[in-house]
Amino acid sequence: MSAIHPAEKSASRMARLAGLSYALYTAAGLYITFGPIPSFSRLADQGAETETLGFLFRTGLLAEVLLYTFVIVSAAAMYVLLRSVSQGGALIAAFCRLIEGAMGATFIIFKYAAFAAVMNPELTPAFSGEERVSLMLLLRDVTSSALYFLLIPMAFGGVIFFALFFRSRYIPRWLSGWGMFTYFIVGTLAASIVLYPPLEQHVMLFFLPGALFEWVLASWLIFAGVNTQRLKPVAD
């Protein structure tokens, strides 16, 4: 038992770290979606509220940085937890989530570039007002539309992670099955929107159950942890 105890303790820590990361990046995602973040159109008005709106927009950028940071932290924790089940599968899943984080960081840079073009006209002195607005709208559309490309590797990695959870029974199989189904739906919807952009306005509500699943999973991992009786030794 003394030889098993350190592995159980490490698995419990990794499970809680993954759960906390899920909770934090889901909270950041909800703030980005429903928080008081102004649109680029409001920023472009250059009214008296520009400074306040600029601050609120920066909070959205910070939330996105936190979101993708904790996506990667959660992926690392889940890799450590699940590598004993299938090191190859856990590595592929973690790498998919790393791709998600890298793409997210790229989109943040594009979004900040659009924000800078709106807030600091002196950065583009050769542009007329209309040209500056066109540049801002282009960068805005790139970041908003490209989000669906990011969701595809995220979904692929999520399905693999929860297939490994289902196989190992570290968490209840109903929760693992819910995770596989959730990420499969997210990936399918994202690919459908990439192929048929007009679908976006009809299927957005189907993304919301994903946030519910992530809250339930986060709560389970933080408070219940994993079934340490089913832990497997890591292969050398």
Side-chain angles (χ1 to χ4, degrees), residues 43-47 50 58 112-133 135-136:
L43 288 173
D45 287 342
Q46 296 291 323
T50 298
R58 288 186 178 92
Y112 184 77
F115 172 72
V118 172
M119 300 298 291
N120 303 289
E122 65 273 12
L123 295 177
T124 53
F127 286 32
S128 67
E130 291 184 357
E131 289 172 335
R132 191 175 296 110
V133 171
L135 174 63
M136 177 268 293

Side-chain angles (χ1 to χ4, degrees), residues 178 181-182 185-186 204-215:
W178 187 7
F181 177 75
T182 295
I185 292 298
V186 168
M204 287 303 294
L205 288 177
F206 290 95
F207 286 105
L208 293 179
L212 174 61
F213 163 74
E214 290 180 335
W215 277 115

